[in-house]
Structure formats: C-alpha cells, structure tokens
Amino acid sequence: MSPSTDTTAAPVVSVIGTGYLGATHAAATAELGLDVVGVDADPAKIDALARGEVPFYEPGLPELLRRHTETGRLRFTTSVAEAVAAADVHFVCVGTPQQRGSNAADLSYVEAATLAVARSLTHDGLIVGKSTVPVGTAARLRTLARAAAPDGVEVDLVWNPEFLREGKAVEDTLRPDRIVVGSEPGTDVEPLLRVYARPVEDGTPLIRCDLPTAELVKVSANAFLATKISFINAIAEVCDAAGADVAVLADALGHDARIGRQFLDAGLGFGGGCLPKDIRALAHRAGELGAGRAATLLQQVDEINMAQRQRVIDTVLQVCGGSVLNRRVGVLGAAFKPRTDDVRDSPALNVAAALHLRGAQVVVFDPQAGATAQRQFPTLGYGASVAEAVAGADVVLVLTEWDEFAHADPARLRALVASPQVVDARHCLDERAWRAAGWSVHGLAPAREAPAEPRAQDALVPA
C-alpha cells in the first residue's frame, strides 16, 4: 500500500485511533473502495481488529472488518509513521472525553494525534479532524500541524465531523445524512472529496463551510436532540399533573413535520458517551465565549435529564412502600440505549446502582451489555436472561428499550415474580397487555425539587 500519485484517483487513507469511531470509519471507508490503514497504540487491539474482532457491539462491523482485512484493502498498525508514509489523507478519530473536575473537553488526545501525523509526514498531506471538539480548536491545531511538519512538506487541516449513531454506525458512514467539510480559504480539499465520492454521487448533501461552523455542527445537533428529550420529559411532568397521556401527546406533536416524532419518548432520558459530554462541553465553551443564554439553556437541559433518574428511583421506592431494603429488583437493561453494549453514563446502570446502595438485591439483564456492565459494576447481580433477572422480583424495571423486553410475554413473566409490579421507564411496553396479564404498570413519580435521598448521579460510583 503506497500513497496515490494520481490526483484524480481515490487517495490512500490513514485513520488515527481505532476506538468506536475510528474502527467503524476505517472499515466503512474500505467498503467505499479505498485503501485504508488504521493506527492504534494498543497492539492487542490492532491484532483483534486484524482478525475482524471488536471490543464492543456494533451490528455489521465485524463482517466489514473481516471482508476488507482479507482482501488487503484494510490493514492495521501501531506505527503512526508507517501509516502516514502510506497515505494521503489522515483522519484523526481519537476521543475527546470530559476533563476531570470540569465540563470542558479534554483535547490532549486529539492534539497529540494531530502532531504525531504532522511530524511523521514524508510527503504533502491533508489532516482531517473527525473528533468532536470545542469551537476554535481546529484553527489552533491547523497552526500547530503546519509548524510541526518537516521542512519542504505541506500540510493542511480541515474538519469533517462524524454523525454516527451507536447501533447504526456502519449505515451512517456508508450512507450519511450529510457530509460537512470545514476549511480555511485556499485549502485544497479535493483529496477528501474523492474519499466521499460515492456517497455524494448517491445523493448525500455536501456542506462546505468554515472551520468554526464545522466544529459547531456536531455539538449543536447533539444539543438539539438532548433538548428535545428534556423538553418532552418536562412536558411529561405537566401531563402527569393534568392527567394527560404524554405518549399520545408526543404522537400528535410528531405529525407536525417541523417537529417530528423521533426523540420525543418521555422516560428515563439520555446517556452514553456523546450527548452528556457534548452538551456540557458546549455549555462550557459558550460560557467562555460570553454566550450566557446558550450556556444556561444547556445546563437546564442537563438538569432535567439527570432528574429523570431520580424520578425512577422515587417510583420504585413508592412501589415498594418507601424502602427497597432487602427487596429483589429485576432490572431489564444496562446499555444506555438498545443495539449497543455501551454503558458509559448509562441511566439504566445509574438507577440500578443507586437502588443497590439503598439495600436492594438488584439483578440486571441486557442482551448485549451484560459483560461490559459487570466489568464496571461487579457488585450488582447479573442474569443470563430476562427470566433470570425477574425471578422472585418484588418489582421489575424496564430501563433500556430493547425489542426483547418490549415483546416479552407478560403472562410468562408473571409466573416468575414474587410481586407483579413493573416500572416502564421507557414507555415501551403494551400497557394493556401487561395489565391484562395481572401486572401493575407504573409510570414515573412526580419530580421533586429537593430529594431527601441522594441524587442518583451522586450515588453511582463504580466498584
């Protein structure tokens, strides 16, 4: 594999960082017909990826990895220099986690990766940032990369944010909703456009813009989705007080093309590795820039979302007569959403751990996230099936909306529990069918301003 010398041919691509974003981007880019080399500092991860194995659950990704490592179109290495020497376009796909003790993003990984590429260049190259960063980062990295490149080698940097949804990441890469390319005037982005030639030919919108706009697109999209979720949860509280049905209300709202039905499911709220950290980082950056109203809005979105976890705990306490001490609680769901095994900032595990700290005997089942959850929270109990999780339970909690839970047979489960009480925190059950099978189905308790119990987010500390 060597860099392309034909300015009209598809370039050779390097992908720096082979975590969730990088591994998916590398495999999907190979599927688009390009030669790709992925880079990671972890030799064990590189060896696993070369065998088509990934340390997380993402439908379709292992098959893509195996197909293109076998053809030779995709390979992996631990050497940045080796990868950079072989490629023309260099995607930076490393993480930008939340800083310890701050809501700001930790940019140390993306800065180190950008500088490593720039210093390793043997010929002109284009660095493409895909990581989610605070606005203003790209311009600074562009300056650093140009200063770090060897004499006689030209390098430029553009920003091309990712919009992957866990559980649908392969599809989102192969057939994206849009492609955003942010650059400074005079930057030659043609090599990157050749990378995306197939999806653009298939009709994917291509949006050209400046660097700050490209940086803001991803975090703004996540902030809007988070706001939509917190909005419907705030309205759900009004519905509860007025005796209205928030699910029917959401359906009615969703028929308005300006609003849409997605992300209007009231319940436990959002989690995961993106939305929480992204809205906090955007609020922090907005505050730095003096955009106080945006910062205040996002803080309220975050607070409403976190309060939903306490509402679930309050509901369980009410169902159990005020205390869960020595009560058996069956928890269905550990991942922050279905079709993934990601338990980062998972509302489901947050609630499960908080109930455990209150003396409950908690047994968790998730179709994919059981192993990852057990590694992070080994003090919780885990079942190998829905039946094992609910056996002998005084109350059952549905905390992740897997189809397996939504379509479970309530009559069969009724025979397994000690008490037929279910808290549907995701509004995914057929309530009439469950009630007909003898269950008491509970929504969320009314929100309270100053909970007597510790907040769920404060109670959750991995063992």
Side-chain angles (χ1 to χ4, degrees):
M1 188 182 295
S2 60
S4 172
T5 57
D6 182 352
T7 57
T8 64
V12 178
V13 167
S14 73
V15 175
I16 314 302
T18 59
Y20 183 85
L21 167 61
T24 305
H25 187 68
T29 302
E31 179 74 2
L32 292 175
L34 287 83
D35 288 333
V36 182
V37 53
V39 188
D40 201 283
D42 185 350
K45 182 188 293 186
I46 290 298
D47 291 342
L49 290 170
R51 296 191 301 270
E53 300 172 3
V54 289
F56 51 84
Y57 175 71
E58 181 59 41
L61 182 56
E63 294 82 357
L64 227 58
L65 284 169
R66 286 192 291 270
R67 177 156 68 244
H68 294 297
T69 52
E70 288 173 1
T71 65
R73 179 168 285 165
L74 173 62
R75 66 182 179 86
F76 296 93
T77 179
T78 57
S79 171
V80 174
E82 177 187 343
V84 169
D88 313 286
V89 177
H90 313 281
F91 287 93
V92 174
C93 297
V94 297
T96 52
Q98 190 172 321
Q99 288 184 18
R100 289 183 178 274
S102 170
N103 284 337
D106 180 353
L107 301 176
S108 59
Y109 302 105
V110 72
E111 181 174 318
T114 301
L115 289 174
V117 171
R119 291 166 179 157
S120 300
L121 287 168
T122 57
H123 57 282
D124 296 350
L126 182 66
I127 299 175
V128 182
K130 291 199 73 68
S131 305
T132 303
V133 297
V135 63
T137 302
R140 182 174 64 85
L141 292 177
R142 181 174 183 261
T143 300
L144 291 175
R146 289 186 152 193
D151 291 341
V153 174
E154 293 188 7
V155 60
D156 215 328
L157 181 144
V158 301
W159 217 258
N160 169 224
E162 56 89 9
F163 301 101
L164 303 187
R165 296 168 295 173
E166 292 192 37
K168 299 180 180 179
V170 171
E171 177 71 14
D172 287 342
T173 307
L174 297 176
R175 283 166 283 277
D177 292 329
R178 71 285 205 198
I179 296 169
V180 176
V181 176
S183 62
E184 290 292 301
T187 300
D188 180 12
V189 300
E190 188 59 31
L192 179 59
L193 300 186
R194 294 201 302 274
V195 171
Y196 292 124
R198 186 185 297 179
V200 171
E201 288 172 1
D202 291 341
T204 298
L206 173 65
I207 300 168
R208 296 284 307 276
C209 58
D210 52 52
L211 288 173
T213 302
E215 291 170 300
L216 280 170
V217 170
K218 170 63 184 296
V219 290
S220 298
N222 277 355
F224 181 80
L225 296 177
T227 301
K228 199 172 179 182
I229 295 169
S230 285
F231 169 82
I232 198 62
N233 280 330
I235 292 299
E237 186 178 354
V238 179
C239 288
D240 291 342
D245 188 328
V246 70
V248 176
L249 181 145
D251 288 340
L253 291 177
H255 285 292
D256 188 328
R258 298 167 302 172
I259 298 174
R261 184 61 178 81
Q262 288 188 308
F263 287 82
L264 281 181
D265 291 314
L268 184 49
F270 60 82
C274 290
L275 260 63
K277 79 172 182 68
D278 286 354
I279 65 169
R280 291 164 191 163
L282 180 55
H284 181 87
R285 185 64 176 136
E288 289 180 334
L289 295 171
R293 285 182 293 183
T296 299
L297 171 64
L298 293 172
Q299 182 177 347
Q300 291 174 339
V301 167
D302 197 7
E303 289 174 352
I304 290 170
N305 183 64
M306 297 305 293
Q308 292 303 105
R309 307 178 187 195
Q310 184 62 50
R311 291 186 67 191
V312 176
I313 294 166
D314 290 343
T315 303
V316 177
L317 290 172
Q318 289 181 10
V319 170
C320 293
S323 173
V324 292
L325 182 64
N326 294 324
R327 297 295 187 97
R328 187 173 174 87
V329 178
V331 171
L332 301 183
F336 82 94
K337 72 172 193 175
R339 293 175 60 85
T340 181
D341 64 352
D342 193 345
V343 299
R344 290 175 295 174
D345 198 9
S346 166
L349 276 184
N350 188 288
V351 169
L355 293 171
H356 169 72
L357 290 179
R358 287 164 173 79
Q361 299 170 6
V362 179
V363 181
V364 180
F365 170 70
D366 189 286
Q368 292 294 335
T372 52
Q374 192 164 9
R375 284 196 295 270
Q376 291 203 28
F377 301 100
T379 57
L380 297 176
Y382 294 89
S385 65
V386 171
E388 283 192 20
V390 307
D394 296 294
V395 61
V396 173
L397 279 58
V398 181
L399 302 183
T400 308
E401 61 273 35
W402 285 95
D403 287 345
E404 181 175 343
F405 305 154
H407 300 147
D409 181 352
R412 184 177 71 88
L413 298 184
R414 169 66 182 86
L416 302 176
V417 299
S419 178
Q421 307 280 347
V422 61
V423 176
D424 181 10
R426 293 296 186 181
H427 294 283
C428 64
L429 302 182
D430 182 340
E431 185 172 332
R432 286 181 295 181
W434 280 70
R435 290 192 187 281
W439 289 82
S440 295
V441 182
H442 304 272
L444 302 191
R448 50 195 175 98
E449 294 296 325
E453 300 281 355
R455 295 178 302 162
Q457 60 266 36
D458 293 336
L460 183 58
V461 179

